[in-house]
Amino acid sequence: QVQLVESGGGLVQAGGSLRLSCEVSGDILTVDDIGWYRQAPGTQRELVAAFTTDGRTNYADSVKGRFTISRENAKNTVYLQMNNLTPEDTAVYYCSGHITIAQPVGTIGNDYWGQGTQVTVSS
């Protein structure tokens, strides 16, 4: 089964930094549109940063210049470096991607989500 497991969340003071990791496991053929989303209490889930299929990156306006998405393809891992954190960044952060995997007959592609990791920024 495909699994996306996030780690690296925690409690940090405003102005601090965290680095989130997302490890994708399974009999993976391709990983497309891998990225990070977040959902704060009482809000809708929003895109934070992602790689597009053509290899470009997208960032939410609120995190541009502070967050950086990167990936290590050999380990099927994507990272989110978060700097200059503010209380408004407090949310559950989710890793997501469109993943194609091998099946006994053929392949299948689906969107997958991790369980999320909590980021709490204190003032």
Side-chain angles (χ1 to χ4, degrees):
Q1 293 182 345
V2 172
Q3 289 188 323
L4 286 74
V5 180
E6 302 98 333
S7 62
L11 176 64
V12 65
Q13 289 182 279
S17 299
L18 287 173
R19 190 192 191 205
L20 306 183
S21 299
C22 172
E23 184 175 354
V24 182
S25 62
D27 193 7
I28 299 167
L29 297 179
T30 60
V31 179
D32 299 310
D33 302 318
I34 190 75
W36 292 92
Y37 296 74
R38 68 185 181 187
Q39 186 169 18
T43 71
Q44 294 183 327
R45 186 174 298 180
E46 65 175 345
L47 182 144
V48 177
F51 287 102
T52 63
T53 303
D54 61 7
R56 294 180 292 179
T57 55
N58 287 329
Y59 291 94
D61 289 340
S62 61
V63 307
K64 287 181 179 177
R66 300 189 298 120
F67 291 9
T68 303
I69 187 171
S70 61
R71 58 188 172 187
E72 188 172 356
N73 291 333
K75 295 183 177 180
N76 291 321
T77 303
V78 62
Y79 305 95
L80 184 68
Q81 179 66 45
M82 305 185 294
N83 298 326
N84 300 315
L85 287 161
T86 74
E88 288 69 38
D89 295 316
T90 295
V92 178
Y93 285 70
Y94 299 90
C95 180
S96 179
H98 186 83
I99 300 172
T100 300
I101 61 174
Q103 296 290 293
V105 179
T107 63
I108 189 169
N110 283 303
D111 295 324
Y112 291 89
W113 293 82
Q115 83 287 351
T117 185
Q118 177 70 49
V119 172
T120 302
V121 184
S122 62
S123 60

